[in-house]
Amino acid sequence: MVSRRFVLAAAFASLAVPALAQTPDTPEAFLTAIYGRVSAGDGSAGGAAYTDKKGRARVFVKDLVKIWDKADAEAEKTGEIGPIEFDPFTDSQDPEVRRFTVQSLETGADRARLAVSLFRDRKAKAGEKPQTVLEFTLLREAGGWRIADIARKGGEMPWTLAEIFAPYR
């Protein structure tokens, strides 16, 4: 005889499968999900949910997480902040992102490069330029897309995570 628990479990499982199947597994969808959270509310959340120790493991490649953890551990020993003294998802100390666009630059089976443009205003204005543009390198790892590098190539102070963490490799 089939138990009620089995029937309920099967019913819930059947509901979950279509929801997972509808979630696109693309680099654009991955970054859109991240920036949906970054720009939520008043836009001041930034990427803190993805840069703390727990959050890093969900969005960055394993090698970068390992190096970042090592760098933070070394900084903690000396009472320093660590090599990342800003929010790399907003290129700022005080995030203010209310809108974003994601543009694919190059996409392969296991590697992608995308540009994310960040805006302060919710509504687009004619001739508006983004406050910053970040370039992401994504790799397919652990069954999904993960961030291998973030770069700000223009502006007064260009940077890449690869350069910032180079001394810790």
Side-chain angles (χ1 to χ4, degrees):
M1 182 161 189
V2 179
S3 73
R4 274 189 274 185
R5 285 185 201 153
F6 178 77
V7 171
L8 287 173
F12 284 120
S14 69
L15 292 174
V17 172
L20 292 174
Q22 291 173 354
T23 304
D25 181 26
T26 66
E28 295 84 1
F30 175 72
L31 287 180
T32 297
I34 289 172
Y35 276 94
R37 186 167 181 182
V38 168
S39 64
D42 66 358
S44 66
Y50 306 108
T51 56
D52 67 5
K53 190 169 180 126
K54 183 179 174 185
R56 279 180 222 154
R58 293 190 323 251
V59 298
F60 289 96
V61 295
K62 289 179 186 175
D63 287 344
L64 184 55
V65 171
K66 186 174 163 184
I67 292 164
W68 197 330
D69 289 347
K70 176 183 175 186
D72 280 356
E74 287 181 22
E76 195 173 301
K77 288 179 191 174
T78 61
E80 298 293 322
I81 292 176
I84 302 293
E85 299 178 3
F86 65 102
D87 178 0
F89 287 93
T90 62
D91 186 38
S92 68
Q93 293 283 341
D94 298 312
E96 190 177 341
V97 175
R98 293 188 180 92
R99 185 169 48 88
F100 64 92
T101 62
V102 177
Q103 176 189 4
S104 178
L105 302 174
E106 174 186 330
T107 302
D110 296 325
R111 181 182 175 87
R113 280 186 329 111
L114 296 100
V116 176
S117 299
L118 307 176
F119 300 89
R120 283 190 171 89
D121 294 319
R122 292 240 183 257
K123 291 187 176 188
K125 297 176 183 172
E128 179 184 27
K129 293 189 180 189
Q131 66 191 38
T132 193
V133 177
L134 300 173
E135 188 175 300
F136 285 77
T137 301
L138 305 181
L139 299 177
R140 191 171 278 288
E141 180 180 275
W145 291 101
R146 300 287 182 264
I147 300 166
D149 199 8
I150 303 174
R152 178 176 181 217
K153 294 191 172 183
E156 295 174 22
M157 297 175 56
W159 56 268
T160 70
L161 289 181
E163 292 170 349
I164 292 169
F165 288 114
Y168 301 94
R169 293 193 183 270

